[in-house]
Structure formats: structure tokens, C-alpha cells
Amino acid sequence: MKEFNRDQFKQDFKNNVVTLYAKSFDEASRFEKYHALSKTIMDQISKDWVSTTEKNKNERNAYYLSAEFLIGRSMGNNLLNLGIIDQIKEILKDLDIDFDEIEDEEDDAALGNGGLGRLAACFVESGATEGLNLHGYGVRYSQGIFKQRFEDGFQIEEGDSWTERGDFWSIRKESESQIVDFRNFSVRAVPYDVPIVGFNNGVVNTLRLWQSEAIDNGGFSFTDFNDFRYDESVSEKNRAEDITRVLYPNDNVRVGKLLRLLQQYFFVSASMKELIQKHKANHPEDKNFSQFHKYNILQLNDTHPVIAIPELIRILLDEENQSWDDAFAVATKVFAFTNHTVLQEALEKWDLELIHEVSPRVVDIIKEIDLRLLEDLRSKGYTEDEIEPYRIVRGELVEMAFLATYVSTSINGVAEIHTNILKKDTLNQWYELYPEKFNNKTNGVTPRRWLQYSNPELTAYVDSLIGEDWKKDITKLEELEKFADDEEVLDKFNEIKHEKKVQLAKYIKKHEGIEIDPNSIFDIQIKRLHEYKRQLLNALHILHLYYELKENPDLDMHPRTFIFGAKAAPGYFRAKGIIKFINELSKLINNDPEVNGKLKVVFVQNYRVSYAEYLFPAADVSEQISTAGKEASGTGNMKFMMNATPTLGTMDGANVEIFREAGLENNYLFGRKEEELAEIVDSYDPVKVYESNKDLKKVVDALLKEEKISDNGTNHFLDIYNSLIDPKDGNRADVYFVLEDFQSYVEAQQKIDKDYRDRRAWARKGLINMANSGFFSSDRTIKNYAEDIWKI
Ligand SMILES: *Cc1c(COP(=O)(O)O)cnc(C)c1O
């Protein structure tokens, strides 16, 4: 943004209250003021938005196709990136308005589950900040991820109608609607454009979210209504709107539901149609689309948008009358694929019958691609047996990851260890066929939202030490290292951490009703609830500490507050059992005066981006304790690191690179490595581990025997117990090696308890982590994508 006129802004803000609500400024509610402020900010953005869009028109553009964008709130982040956040805070102060209270009026745009959706949001922000032609395509779900609260310690889900009071951070572009044709009906895809503001650079890119609506007359049938058939009169409208009504609340698990596939097809079909139309308008001479790939590159965020591949071919064949060879040639040049998981239960495989329900032509095209693959491999001399592991269509199922891998120009994993596992296991046959396509792009997070915005105190202090250049080139944070032994700096780091802990404690008191002590160690695990993430390991250790304290109330231990935040997929019984278990521990421990002062457990409700902004800066310990080999990357780990917090973690995902960058001596590594687990998996006997460790046996047995905790007769705790040592379903026990890693985890925690007491030594570890967090900025990641894959 070029010029900012403070007085003008203030006047516009006040005028907007009056024009929007036809009341005087003083009469307006807090929400009405929030609305008017949002509008004033959007007006500031619009000029640069138009000029960026104009500039991009004839250039090469990259599009990030993602079924999820976990945006969170927009107001504060936009103000920060516009470079006017301090001025706006002053203006509000002049008007006697508290910024934090206004900000609290904004609902999170929670159009994603967890890491994958948040990554997409960080990526588009970094793209704009780096001045890249990078845009997003996604879905405007009218219900975001459910709101979570606890009742009796159980998770209760409620709807998230985040647009109900208005969504002021997008613009409806009615005239740019597309028609999407499903097998049995058609809908209108209406784009809502979200501005993606670059940091202090005048760039505003576009995140286009499609909303499904009825084609004619809003789908309302006057005839039915007139004949008193009220339900029928809106059935068309409802059927269309159902497509983008809800985000599926599943993280890292496949759902084979028709509606989910309709959603995927809906948003990629609208996107592909638009790109084809734009190309025709801008390059009318390119009759066979042979230049399409020069102007467009499409990144597929996991397999959710992979149906874009046959859809693009379909449009070229059926609507643009291209030959199969020409259409297929276009597809093989414009897609790139990111894999996000090695968990088998998360790899999408769609039933042909279901795809047929959505679009019969897409089934034909997928089968044709599979035949092409067959021919390809036969011509390369592969035998039928050798071809089998590559089949895209296997029986009635379509392997979406294989479809993506075959057609894409690039396949990447999201951390080094993850990419290596893809090469050696998950996609090994494809790596052998196309080694040149495989590459790694270690994830990152945006330092604007996750450091500058969430932690202005630490940001200002860093500015005072090394100047502000790091905000444009975050690798400059390395300059902090020269203060690693400066006692004054270390004390100040501790002081700021304490301030952030006080702020979090206040927020937790307000929202959870639990008092926590900022002088205790804040040990935080915040991420989706999943067995592979092993919140259960954390919980069993807490129970172990509790029993130790009961045996010896004078135990020499620094007071500790364990904080959890996590949503469980509503249908994931075991994950919900683990939430209940931790909430029972919380109740038991927080109400026991014998351990009070030493141990506290808080499970915050409705963990989401805006809550996360309070949690990351206030952590003393970052819990990244997944089973080695299972967490593709993790990005929460990076947010903690940026906020000067040591990691307690396994050799998994990006932890490996965090340990490398910041040094093992500044972090806490525990647990078996991935290779070790692969070695022992066949002979692993969890019962033996359990029998041979009395501390472990005691806490596992507590699931069934501890009288002061209860699952209220739901059998949740029996289920957890069985999963560890006695699965009734013929499966292996303890598939995530919770018992195997328990002792190692206990010992790492003991070391933390000891080390934390040297306050300066602890601050030093935090400082060195922060100084080396530059690599984990999504600016670095997005530049890697731009240079290696997108060539933009
Ligand atoms: C960063 C983030 C995640 C991802 O956390 P992981 O620890 O990497 O799984 C999930 N949810 C929210 C709200 C986040 O901000």
C-alpha cells in the first residue's frame, strides 16, 4: 500500500458505521464497529488488488488447488501486512475502543481440519509476500470445522456457521460464476474472492473459494410454493447448496462418501473451466492449447483435488473438441502433486461406481489413462506382473495418488524423512519408474501470523537487537545467535515468555475457567487428536507423575502445567476416548490438593487458529511426539520453534530438520527411530514391555482400575487399554509404539525438569531455536516450489 492517511481512515471508518447501520458512531455495537472497520480495511486493499490482478493477467500463474484453507481470522493479519496495524490501534484508542475486543468479534474462517489446510493458508500468504503469481482455489463451506466443547469431559460438536453475521473478508463475484455439471444435475459455482495481502509490498493475490448454488431463480419454485408444497419449493435450492454446506471434519482419514466426491469435483471443475476460458480469451491463437502449460501450473494439495486431472481432459475433449493426444499432453504438463501422508487409512481410493454417480465421462477418462499407463509400461518391457503394482484402476477402486503420480510433472513430500519414506515405501514403484519427478519441499509457516502478529512483544525486542531487516529476510534471525550468552538478553527472553504465559493464563481462565500458574512450565501439545500423534503417551506420563507425587508429595519437581488442544473427528471413537481420559486426569489432578502447586492439566476447548495464536508464544515445551515415520512434516513444531520454544520430540517429520538446524543440545529427542521400528515391528511384544516396567504397568492398568476416573460406562477406557495390549479384533497391539517409547519419554521429561531450573540456560535454548527457525518460514518453502516446480 502506497500511502496511508490516518485522519482519512478514521473518518472513513466512522462514516462506514453510519452508512452501514444508519446509526451514530456512539450508538453502534462492537460488532457493528468491527464490520465498519473491516469494510474500511477492504477499501484500502482494493486498489492494490485490482493492479495485481491486472498485472498477472498475461503472465504465468501458479494455482494452489486445495479442498481446505484454514484461514482463521483476517483482520489483524491484513493490518499487519498492510503495515498499518500500529496506526489502527492508535486510531481505535483515540476513539476509546479496545483493539482486542473488536478483534474478538471476528469468527475464524475455519475451512480446514488441521495442518494441511493451515499450510495452504500460509502458502498463499507467503506467495503474495514474495511477490509471486500464486493464487488459491478452494471451497467456501458454509459450515467450517465443527465447534468443540466438553460436557462431562466428552467432546460435543456444534455447527460452525461462520458467515451467519456476514463474511467481510471476501467479495462475491457473481458475474464470474461457472456451471458445474454432475451426472444427474447441474449447479452454479459462485466465486468468493479473498484478498491475500503480501507483507508491505503492495501485492494482493486472490484466493478464490467456490460456493454451490442453484442455477435458476435461486432454486425456488414459485409453483410449488403456491400449491402449498413448501418443502418441494426449496428442494432444488437445498440440493445445490448442500454441495458446499459442510467441511468433512476428518483429518488424515479417508471418507468414501458421495457428497465428499461431489465437493471435490465441484471445486476443481469450476476452476478448470475458468482457466480454460481465461486461456481462450487471452490467447485466442492457441487453438490446440499447446501453450496452456506455459501460463498455468496447478499444484494439487494431496489427492483431494486430483479429480482435476480427468476433468481438465474432459473439458478439452468434450467442450473444446481437442483430440485425446492433445488433451492428455496438456494434462501431463500442468499438474504437480504434493503427498501429505503415508498412513494407509488416509490414501484416497474412490469406487468407480461413485465416480460414475458424479460424472460418467470422468470414469471413461480415468480408465483410458490407466490403459495409457499399461501401454507405456509394456512398451518399456514390463511384464504383466511387474505392471500390476502401478495400476491406477485396481478392481473397482481408483488409486488417486497413483493417478496424480502418473500424470504430474512433480511429486513432492513435505519433509526430508517423509519424502524418503515415499521413495522407499509408499510410492516406491513410482520412484523407480520416474526418479526425476520426486523431490522434497519441507513445509513452513508464515512468520507474519505466527511470530509478528501472535508475539508482538518478542518481535519488538528482536527489532531492538538486530533491526527490522529480518522481517524481509527471516534467515537474518540468525544474528540473534550472537546474543546467546548475553545475560541481559536471556533475562529479557524469559521476561517476554512470562508475559505471554500471563496472557495465555488469563485467556484460559476466561474460556476454560481454570487457573494456571505462569511460573510453572507450560508444556503444550496442540494438534488434531490422532493415535499416531500419541497424545496418549503424554497422558500416561502425566498419570505417572501424579502417582509419583502421591507417593512422595515432596518430590523435587518444578511445577508443570500440561496443556492440550485438539479436536477429534466425530466418528473416531478411540480419539474421543483419549479426550475423555485426559479430561478425567485433568479433573482428578486439578482437584487434588496434595499435588496442587506441582501439577495441573488443561484441555482447552475448540482449539483453532485464533486460540493457537495465544498458545504458541506461551509455551516452554513443544510436544512433537508422534510415532517415528508417521507425521509427514508437522507445522505446529515450527510455530513453537519460531517463538523460542525447545522441542520434545521423536525423529519424525520436520522435527528431524529442526533438531539439525537448532542442535540436539537445544532440544529433547527421545524414542525409537523409524528404521528401528521397522526392524522390531514383526517381533514387537507390547505385553512384555508392559510387564517389565512397573511404572508403565501401573498407568496402563489405571485405565481399568483407577477408581477416581471414569468413562461413564462408555467402554472408552477399555477400548484404549485393549488397543495397547489386547486388541480383540485380530489387529496388532500398540501399533503406534506408545509402550515401547514410554520409558525414553519419561527420561527426556526428567531431563527437562532438571534443565528448566537453570533459567538462563533454558532461555538460551529458546533463543537458538528462534535464531535458526528461518528455514521453517513458508517464504523459503514457497520459493522452493516457485523455483523448482512452478518456474514462476
Ligand atoms: C498449525 C496448526 C495445526 C497443525 O499442527 P500439527 O502439530 O503440525 O499437527 C493444526 N491446527 C491448527 C489450528 C494450527 O494452527
mmCIF file of all heavy atoms in Angstrom, residues 70 108 113-116 118-119 251 445 450 526-528 532-533 607-613 616 623-624 631 633-640, ligand 1:
data_model
loop_
_atom_site.group_PDB
_atom_site.id
_atom_site.type_symbol
_atom_site.label_atom_id
_atom_site.label_comp_id
_atom_site.label_asym_id
_atom_site.label_seq_id
_atom_site.Cartn_x
_atom_site.Cartn_y
_atom_site.Cartn_z
ATOM 1 N N LEU A 70 -7.354 -23.258 5.944
ATOM 2 C CA LEU A 70 -7.656 -22.968 7.348
ATOM 3 C C LEU A 70 -7.133 -21.564 7.663
ATOM 4 O O LEU A 70 -6.011 -21.394 8.147
ATOM 5 C CB LEU A 70 -7.021 -24.042 8.241
ATOM 6 C CG LEU A 70 -7.312 -24.017 9.742
ATOM 7 C CD1 LEU A 70 -8.787 -23.856 10.040
ATOM 8 C CD2 LEU A 70 -6.785 -25.297 10.387
ATOM 9 N N ASP A 108 -13.397 -17.167 13.283
ATOM 10 C CA ASP A 108 -12.398 -17.802 12.427
ATOM 11 C C ASP A 108 -13.065 -18.315 11.146
ATOM 12 O O ASP A 108 -14.156 -18.885 11.210
ATOM 13 C CB ASP A 108 -11.776 -19.022 13.127
ATOM 14 C CG ASP A 108 -10.717 -18.654 14.153
ATOM 15 O OD1 ASP A 108 -10.902 -17.638 14.857
ATOM 16 O OD2 ASP A 108 -9.720 -19.387 14.251
ATOM 17 N N ASN A 113 -9.212 -28.706 8.403
ATOM 18 C CA ASN A 113 -9.140 -29.539 9.589
ATOM 19 C C ASN A 113 -7.952 -29.200 10.480
ATOM 20 O O ASN A 113 -8.109 -29.004 11.671
ATOM 21 C CB ASN A 113 -9.032 -31.009 9.168
ATOM 22 C CG ASN A 113 -10.381 -31.644 8.945
ATOM 23 O OD1 ASN A 113 -11.067 -31.995 9.903
ATOM 24 N ND2 ASN A 113 -10.795 -31.763 7.694
ATOM 25 N N GLY A 114 -6.769 -29.181 9.870
ATOM 26 C CA GLY A 114 -5.555 -29.009 10.672
ATOM 27 C C GLY A 114 -4.409 -28.560 9.800
ATOM 28 O O GLY A 114 -4.559 -27.626 8.996
ATOM 29 N N GLY A 115 -3.294 -29.258 9.932
ATOM 30 C CA GLY A 115 -2.052 -28.849 9.282
ATOM 31 C C GLY A 115 -2.150 -28.631 7.777
ATOM 32 O O GLY A 115 -1.632 -27.635 7.259
ATOM 33 N N LEU A 116 -2.811 -29.539 7.081
ATOM 34 C CA LEU A 116 -2.880 -29.441 5.620
ATOM 35 C C LEU A 116 -3.584 -28.153 5.166
ATOM 36 O O LEU A 116 -3.140 -27.468 4.249
ATOM 37 C CB LEU A 116 -3.582 -30.680 5.050
ATOM 38 C CG LEU A 116 -3.884 -30.735 3.560
ATOM 39 C CD1 LEU A 116 -3.713 -32.155 3.039
ATOM 40 C CD2 LEU A 116 -5.309 -30.253 3.268
ATOM 41 N N ARG A 118 -4.054 -25.412 7.073
ATOM 42 C CA ARG A 118 -3.299 -24.251 7.539
ATOM 43 C C ARG A 118 -2.083 -24.020 6.628
ATOM 44 O O ARG A 118 -1.725 -22.883 6.342
ATOM 45 C CB ARG A 118 -2.897 -24.449 8.995
ATOM 46 C CG ARG A 118 -2.195 -23.264 9.629
ATOM 47 C CD ARG A 118 -2.949 -21.935 9.515
ATOM 48 N NE ARG A 118 -2.101 -20.915 8.918
ATOM 49 C CZ ARG A 118 -2.481 -19.680 8.600
ATOM 50 N NH1 ARG A 118 -3.733 -19.266 8.826
ATOM 51 N NH2 ARG A 118 -1.661 -18.853 8.042
ATOM 52 N N LEU A 119 -1.475 -25.086 6.148
ATOM 53 C CA LEU A 119 -0.345 -24.964 5.231
ATOM 54 C C LEU A 119 -0.763 -24.180 3.983
ATOM 55 O O LEU A 119 -0.046 -23.285 3.518
ATOM 56 C CB LEU A 119 0.168 -26.351 4.820
ATOM 57 C CG LEU A 119 1.402 -26.336 3.913
ATOM 58 C CD1 LEU A 119 2.657 -26.071 4.739
ATOM 59 C CD2 LEU A 119 1.541 -27.647 3.142
ATOM 60 N N ASP A 251 -9.460 -35.666 9.580
ATOM 61 C CA ASP A 251 -8.076 -35.326 9.331
ATOM 62 C C ASP A 251 -7.318 -36.627 9.162
ATOM 63 O O ASP A 251 -7.404 -37.506 10.007
ATOM 64 C CB ASP A 251 -7.527 -34.541 10.534
ATOM 65 C CG ASP A 251 -6.108 -34.063 10.307
ATOM 66 O OD1 ASP A 251 -5.937 -33.105 9.548
ATOM 67 O OD2 ASP A 251 -5.192 -34.647 10.898
ATOM 68 N N VAL A 445 5.901 -22.249 7.834
ATOM 69 C CA VAL A 445 4.767 -21.465 8.351
ATOM 70 C C VAL A 445 5.080 -19.983 8.170
ATOM 71 O O VAL A 445 6.255 -19.590 8.145
ATOM 72 C CB VAL A 445 4.484 -21.767 9.840
ATOM 73 C CG1 VAL A 445 4.144 -23.247 10.027
ATOM 74 C CG2 VAL A 445 5.659 -21.381 10.739
ATOM 75 N N TRP A 450 2.470 -16.077 12.654
ATOM 76 C CA TRP A 450 2.874 -16.938 13.775
ATOM 77 C C TRP A 450 3.964 -16.351 14.648
ATOM 78 O O TRP A 450 4.276 -16.885 15.695
ATOM 79 C CB TRP A 450 3.239 -18.337 13.262
ATOM 80 C CG TRP A 450 2.059 -19.010 12.653
ATOM 81 C CD1 TRP A 450 1.885 -19.337 11.339
ATOM 82 C CD2 TRP A 450 0.838 -19.391 13.319
ATOM 83 N NE1 TRP A 450 0.646 -19.905 11.149
ATOM 84 C CE2 TRP A 450 -0.014 -19.951 12.335
ATOM 85 C CE3 TRP A 450 0.384 -19.318 14.642
ATOM 86 C CZ2 TRP A 450 -1.295 -20.430 12.645
ATOM 87 C CZ3 TRP A 450 -0.887 -19.798 14.947
ATOM 88 C CH2 TRP A 450 -1.700 -20.345 13.949
ATOM 89 N N ILE A 526 -0.644 -29.315 21.044
ATOM 90 C CA ILE A 526 -1.828 -28.816 20.332
ATOM 91 C C ILE A 526 -1.771 -29.271 18.883
ATOM 92 O O ILE A 526 -0.878 -28.904 18.136
ATOM 93 C CB ILE A 526 -1.930 -27.261 20.417
ATOM 94 C CG1 ILE A 526 -0.561 -26.602 20.239
ATOM 95 C CG2 ILE A 526 -2.548 -26.842 21.747
ATOM 96 C CD1 ILE A 526 -0.601 -25.071 20.235
ATOM 97 N N LYS A 527 -2.732 -30.067 18.474
ATOM 98 C CA LYS A 527 -2.791 -30.647 17.137
ATOM 99 C C LYS A 527 -4.029 -31.531 17.096
ATOM 100 O O LYS A 527 -4.624 -31.807 18.138
ATOM 101 C CB LYS A 527 -1.529 -31.466 16.842
ATOM 102 C CG LYS A 527 -1.175 -32.442 17.995
ATOM 103 C CD LYS A 527 0.152 -33.165 17.810
ATOM 104 C CE LYS A 527 1.379 -32.329 17.988
ATOM 105 N NZ LYS A 527 2.034 -31.965 16.735
ATOM 106 N N ARG A 528 -4.417 -31.965 15.901
ATOM 107 C CA ARG A 528 -5.566 -32.852 15.863
ATOM 108 C C ARG A 528 -5.327 -34.097 16.722
ATOM 109 O O ARG A 528 -4.186 -34.537 16.895
ATOM 110 C CB ARG A 528 -5.878 -33.258 14.414
ATOM 111 C CG ARG A 528 -6.613 -32.164 13.655
ATOM 112 C CD ARG A 528 -7.926 -31.767 14.301
ATOM 113 N NE ARG A 528 -8.926 -32.780 14.106
ATOM 114 C CZ ARG A 528 -9.823 -32.776 13.120
ATOM 115 N NH1 ARG A 528 -9.862 -31.772 12.255
ATOM 116 N NH2 ARG A 528 -10.699 -33.743 13.000
ATOM 117 N N TYR A 532 -1.666 -41.690 16.051
ATOM 118 C CA TYR A 532 -0.251 -41.613 15.667
ATOM 119 C C TYR A 532 0.451 -40.399 16.282
ATOM 120 O O TYR A 532 1.666 -40.382 16.432
ATOM 121 C CB TYR A 532 -0.096 -41.641 14.132
ATOM 122 C CG TYR A 532 -0.249 -40.311 13.431
ATOM 123 C CD1 TYR A 532 0.818 -39.421 13.355
ATOM 124 C CD2 TYR A 532 -1.448 -39.934 12.829
ATOM 125 C CE1 TYR A 532 0.694 -38.198 12.721
ATOM 126 C CE2 TYR A 532 -1.590 -38.721 12.186
ATOM 127 C CZ TYR A 532 -0.509 -37.853 12.141
ATOM 128 O OH TYR A 532 -0.638 -36.640 11.527
ATOM 129 N N LYS A 533 -0.309 -39.379 16.662
ATOM 130 C CA LYS A 533 0.290 -38.198 17.291
ATOM 131 C C LYS A 533 0.564 -38.438 18.784
ATOM 132 O O LYS A 533 1.261 -37.674 19.436
ATOM 133 C CB LYS A 533 -0.617 -36.984 17.096
ATOM 134 C CG LYS A 533 -0.683 -36.511 15.633
ATOM 135 C CD LYS A 533 -1.615 -35.322 15.480
ATOM 136 C CE LYS A 533 -1.798 -34.847 14.053
ATOM 137 N NZ LYS A 533 -0.722 -33.948 13.594
ATOM 138 N N TYR A 607 -9.903 -25.832 20.063
ATOM 139 C CA TYR A 607 -8.595 -25.420 19.543
ATOM 140 C C TYR A 607 -8.738 -25.047 18.058
ATOM 141 O O TYR A 607 -9.311 -25.778 17.268
ATOM 142 C CB TYR A 607 -7.579 -26.563 19.701
ATOM 143 C CG TYR A 607 -6.263 -26.258 19.030
ATOM 144 C CD1 TYR A 607 -5.549 -25.105 19.361
ATOM 145 C CD2 TYR A 607 -5.747 -27.084 18.027
ATOM 146 C CE1 TYR A 607 -4.355 -24.796 18.729
ATOM 147 C CE2 TYR A 607 -4.548 -26.781 17.394
ATOM 148 C CZ TYR A 607 -3.864 -25.633 17.746
ATOM 149 O OH TYR A 607 -2.694 -25.317 17.114
ATOM 150 N N ARG A 608 -8.234 -23.882 17.718
ATOM 151 C CA ARG A 608 -8.374 -23.354 16.359
ATOM 152 C C ARG A 608 -7.301 -22.294 16.136
ATOM 153 O O ARG A 608 -6.537 -22.007 17.071
ATOM 154 C CB ARG A 608 -9.769 -22.745 16.186
ATOM 155 C CG ARG A 608 -10.029 -21.568 17.126
ATOM 156 C CD ARG A 608 -11.517 -21.217 17.200
ATOM 157 N NE ARG A 608 -11.787 -20.066 18.054
ATOM 158 C CZ ARG A 608 -11.786 -20.056 19.377
ATOM 159 N NH1 ARG A 608 -11.472 -21.153 20.058
ATOM 160 N NH2 ARG A 608 -12.059 -18.962 20.054
ATOM 161 N N VAL A 609 -7.263 -21.693 14.959
ATOM 162 C CA VAL A 609 -6.178 -20.763 14.651
ATOM 163 C C VAL A 609 -6.121 -19.619 15.666
ATOM 164 O O VAL A 609 -5.047 -19.290 16.182
ATOM 165 C CB VAL A 609 -6.296 -20.226 13.206
ATOM 166 C CG1 VAL A 609 -5.295 -19.101 12.952
ATOM 167 C CG2 VAL A 609 -6.069 -21.355 12.198
ATOM 168 N N SER A 610 -7.271 -19.018 15.989
ATOM 169 C CA SER A 610 -7.206 -17.848 16.871
ATOM 170 C C SER A 610 -6.778 -18.214 18.300
ATOM 171 O O SER A 610 -6.137 -17.414 18.984
ATOM 172 C CB SER A 610 -8.539 -17.079 16.871
ATOM 173 O OG SER A 610 -9.609 -17.918 17.197
ATOM 174 N N TYR A 611 -7.108 -19.430 18.741
ATOM 175 C CA TYR A 611 -6.616 -19.896 20.048
ATOM 176 C C TYR A 611 -5.115 -20.183 19.954
ATOM 177 O O TYR A 611 -4.319 -19.858 20.858
ATOM 178 C CB TYR A 611 -7.361 -21.163 20.490
ATOM 179 C CG TYR A 611 -7.635 -21.282 21.995
ATOM 180 C CD1 TYR A 611 -8.878 -21.715 22.468
ATOM 181 C CD2 TYR A 611 -6.649 -20.988 22.929
ATOM 182 C CE1 TYR A 611 -9.139 -21.833 23.832
ATOM 183 C CE2 TYR A 611 -6.897 -21.103 24.298
ATOM 184 C CZ TYR A 611 -8.144 -21.520 24.739
ATOM 185 O OH TYR A 611 -8.396 -21.633 26.091
ATOM 186 N N ALA A 612 -4.733 -20.764 18.827
ATOM 187 C CA ALA A 612 -3.327 -21.116 18.611
ATOM 188 C C ALA A 612 -2.433 -19.884 18.740
ATOM 189 O O ALA A 612 -1.299 -19.969 19.224
ATOM 190 C CB ALA A 612 -3.146 -21.749 17.231
ATOM 191 N N GLU A 613 -2.950 -18.739 18.330
ATOM 192 C CA GLU A 613 -2.149 -17.511 18.372
ATOM 193 C C GLU A 613 -1.792 -17.109 19.814
ATOM 194 O O GLU A 613 -0.803 -16.417 20.039
ATOM 195 C CB GLU A 613 -2.890 -16.380 17.639
ATOM 196 C CG GLU A 613 -2.932 -16.623 16.127
ATOM 197 C CD GLU A 613 -3.954 -15.805 15.362
ATOM 198 O OE1 GLU A 613 -4.615 -14.918 15.957
ATOM 199 O OE2 GLU A 613 -4.132 -16.062 14.152
ATOM 200 N N PHE A 616 0.963 -20.749 21.052
ATOM 201 C CA PHE A 616 2.360 -20.952 20.608
ATOM 202 C C PHE A 616 3.360 -20.039 21.331
ATOM 203 O O PHE A 616 4.404 -20.508 21.781
ATOM 204 C CB PHE A 616 2.469 -20.827 19.083
ATOM 205 C CG PHE A 616 1.917 -22.017 18.351
ATOM 206 C CD1 PHE A 616 0.715 -21.949 17.653
ATOM 207 C CD2 PHE A 616 2.593 -23.237 18.381
ATOM 208 C CE1 PHE A 616 0.196 -23.061 16.994
ATOM 209 C CE2 PHE A 616 2.084 -24.353 17.720
ATOM 210 C CZ PHE A 616 0.890 -24.265 17.024
ATOM 211 N N GLU A 623 5.488 -30.201 22.407
ATOM 212 C CA GLU A 623 5.346 -31.664 22.361
ATOM 213 C C GLU A 623 5.122 -32.126 20.919
ATOM 214 O O GLU A 623 4.067 -31.866 20.327
ATOM 215 C CB GLU A 623 4.144 -32.109 23.208
ATOM 216 C CG GLU A 623 4.291 -31.833 24.693
ATOM 217 C CD GLU A 623 4.817 -33.034 25.489
ATOM 218 O OE1 GLU A 623 5.079 -34.104 24.887
ATOM 219 O OE2 GLU A 623 4.958 -32.893 26.717
ATOM 220 N N GLN A 624 6.118 -32.825 20.359
ATOM 221 C CA GLN A 624 6.042 -33.326 18.971
ATOM 222 C C GLN A 624 6.423 -34.797 18.995
ATOM 223 O O GLN A 624 7.505 -35.181 18.594
ATOM 224 C CB GLN A 624 6.969 -32.502 18.069
ATOM 225 C CG GLN A 624 6.762 -31.000 18.175
ATOM 226 C CD GLN A 624 5.351 -30.548 17.805
ATOM 227 O OE1 GLN A 624 4.647 -31.226 17.035
ATOM 228 N NE2 GLN A 624 4.907 -29.423 18.344
ATOM 229 N N GLU A 631 4.338 -38.892 11.089
ATOM 230 C CA GLU A 631 3.961 -37.488 10.878
ATOM 231 C C GLU A 631 4.722 -36.991 9.647
ATOM 232 O O GLU A 631 5.952 -36.908 9.677
ATOM 233 C CB GLU A 631 4.334 -36.651 12.096
ATOM 234 C CG GLU A 631 3.874 -35.205 12.031
ATOM 235 C CD GLU A 631 2.385 -35.044 12.279
ATOM 236 O OE1 GLU A 631 1.623 -35.107 11.290
ATOM 237 O OE2 GLU A 631 1.983 -34.872 13.442
ATOM 238 N N SER A 633 5.182 -34.088 8.188
ATOM 239 C CA SER A 633 6.064 -32.968 8.499
ATOM 240 C C SER A 633 5.742 -32.403 9.870
ATOM 241 O O SER A 633 6.567 -32.348 10.767
ATOM 242 C CB SER A 633 5.907 -31.868 7.438
ATOM 243 O OG SER A 633 6.411 -30.645 7.923
ATOM 244 N N GLY A 634 4.459 -32.011 10.017
ATOM 245 C CA GLY A 634 4.091 -31.203 11.167
ATOM 246 C C GLY A 634 4.442 -29.767 10.830
ATOM 247 O O GLY A 634 5.412 -29.489 10.098
ATOM 248 N N THR A 635 3.621 -28.843 11.309
ATOM 249 C CA THR A 635 3.941 -27.424 11.161
ATOM 250 C C THR A 635 3.803 -26.722 12.509
ATOM 251 O O THR A 635 4.404 -25.670 12.721
ATOM 252 C CB THR A 635 3.015 -26.729 10.136
ATOM 253 O OG1 THR A 635 1.659 -27.055 10.449
ATOM 254 C CG2 THR A 635 3.353 -27.158 8.727
ATOM 255 N N GLY A 636 3.040 -27.333 13.429
ATOM 256 C CA GLY A 636 2.955 -26.790 14.780
ATOM 257 C C GLY A 636 4.355 -26.723 15.390
ATOM 258 O O GLY A 636 4.724 -25.729 16.034
ATOM 259 N N ASN A 637 5.144 -27.761 15.152
ATOM 260 C CA ASN A 637 6.522 -27.796 15.654
ATOM 261 C C ASN A 637 7.287 -26.523 15.246
ATOM 262 O O ASN A 637 8.070 -25.967 16.018
ATOM 263 C CB ASN A 637 7.236 -29.080 15.177
ATOM 264 C CG ASN A 637 7.021 -29.386 13.688
ATOM 265 O OD1 ASN A 637 6.400 -28.599 12.970
ATOM 266 N ND2 ASN A 637 7.502 -30.532 13.238
ATOM 267 N N MET A 638 7.050 -26.042 14.028
ATOM 268 C CA MET A 638 7.766 -24.855 13.524
ATOM 269 C C MET A 638 7.278 -23.572 14.205
ATOM 270 O O MET A 638 8.058 -22.650 14.452
ATOM 271 C CB MET A 638 7.548 -24.730 12.016
ATOM 272 C CG MET A 638 7.996 -25.967 11.243
ATOM 273 S SD MET A 638 7.394 -25.938 9.544
ATOM 274 C CE MET A 638 7.987 -27.549 8.980
ATOM 275 N N LYS A 639 5.975 -23.507 14.498
ATOM 276 C CA LYS A 639 5.420 -22.311 15.150
ATOM 277 C C LYS A 639 6.003 -22.155 16.558
ATOM 278 O O LYS A 639 6.329 -21.046 16.992
ATOM 279 C CB LYS A 639 3.891 -22.390 15.208
ATOM 280 C CG LYS A 639 3.210 -22.486 13.843
ATOM 281 C CD LYS A 639 1.719 -22.835 13.985
ATOM 282 C CE LYS A 639 1.128 -23.328 12.681
ATOM 283 N NZ LYS A 639 -0.174 -24.031 12.878
ATOM 284 N N PHE A 640 6.146 -23.282 17.269
ATOM 285 C CA PHE A 640 6.768 -23.223 18.600
ATOM 286 C C PHE A 640 8.215 -22.750 18.490
ATOM 287 O O PHE A 640 8.671 -21.898 19.247
ATOM 288 C CB PHE A 640 6.771 -24.618 19.246
ATOM 289 C CG PHE A 640 5.448 -25.074 19.808
ATOM 290 C CD1 PHE A 640 4.750 -26.137 19.239
ATOM 291 C CD2 PHE A 640 4.910 -24.466 20.943
ATOM 292 C CE1 PHE A 640 3.550 -26.582 19.775
ATOM 293 C CE2 PHE A 640 3.708 -24.909 21.489
ATOM 294 C CZ PHE A 640 3.027 -25.968 20.895
HETATM 295 C C1 LIG B 1 -0.500 -25.390 12.852
HETATM 296 C C2 LIG B 1 -1.852 -25.888 13.151
HETATM 297 C C3 LIG B 1 -2.136 -27.254 13.031
HETATM 298 C C4 LIG B 1 -1.083 -28.285 12.660
HETATM 299 O O1 LIG B 1 -0.457 -28.738 13.833
HETATM 300 P P1 LIG B 1 0.487 -30.038 13.825
HETATM 301 O O2 LIG B 1 1.105 -30.045 15.173
HETATM 302 O O3 LIG B 1 1.507 -29.818 12.747
HETATM 303 O O4 LIG B 1 -0.378 -31.203 13.560
HETATM 304 C C5 LIG B 1 -3.415 -27.688 13.331
HETATM 305 N N1 LIG B 1 -4.375 -26.829 13.718
HETATM 306 C C6 LIG B 1 -4.135 -25.502 13.855
HETATM 307 C C7 LIG B 1 -5.232 -24.610 14.309
HETATM 308 C C8 LIG B 1 -2.876 -24.992 13.565
HETATM 309 O O5 LIG B 1 -2.662 -23.676 13.685
#
